[in-house]
Amino acid sequence: MTIMQTITAIVSALIVPFLVQAIKTHAMSGNIARFVSILVSLLAGVATGFVGGLPAEPGAWMTCIFAVVGGVQTAYAAFRAVGVTSRWLDALLNLGSITPEHADK
């Protein structure tokens, strides 16, 4: 894994939980949200692989993909442990929605 791929993996691992929470809906169950998170993590891992050029061997692809998937899961667990998911990430669900009691403020 190159230095650019490492930096991209770290940045992706920190950003993907916010992206997943932003696309999550109230109609989406916990299991579906988990699979969406894994899918987005896999896509971010593939994108990370392309940052340093096209990996020539399967092991390089797997390193990039699993680094991002593992990083996302670790970041989400860390965010949740300090309350970020219950405050900041969940607040993303309310972006753009104005409730009647807040409409006149």
Side-chain angles (χ1 to χ4, degrees), residues 3-95:
I3 291 175
M4 283 304 295
Q5 287 173 325
T6 303
I7 292 169
T8 305
I10 292 169
V11 170
S12 296
L14 295 174
I15 292 175
V16 167
F18 290 100
L19 293 175
V20 170
Q21 194 69 20
I23 61 173
K24 183 179 168 185
T25 63
H26 290 292
M28 190 182 297
S29 71
N31 285 334
I32 293 173
R34 186 174 299 117
F35 286 117
V36 168
S37 175
I38 291 170
L39 178 65
V40 172
S41 300
L42 288 172
L43 294 174
V46 169
T48 299
F50 282 119
V51 167
L54 189 64
E57 54 203 40
W61 279 109
M62 298 312 295
T63 299
C64 292
I65 292 170
F66 285 120
V68 173
V69 171
V72 167
Q73 296 305 311
T74 302
Y76 186 78
F79 290 158
R80 188 170 201 171
V82 296
V84 174
T85 57
S86 63
R87 292 185 190 109
W88 298 353
L89 292 178
D90 289 340
L92 289 173
L93 287 174
N94 297 323
L95 286 178

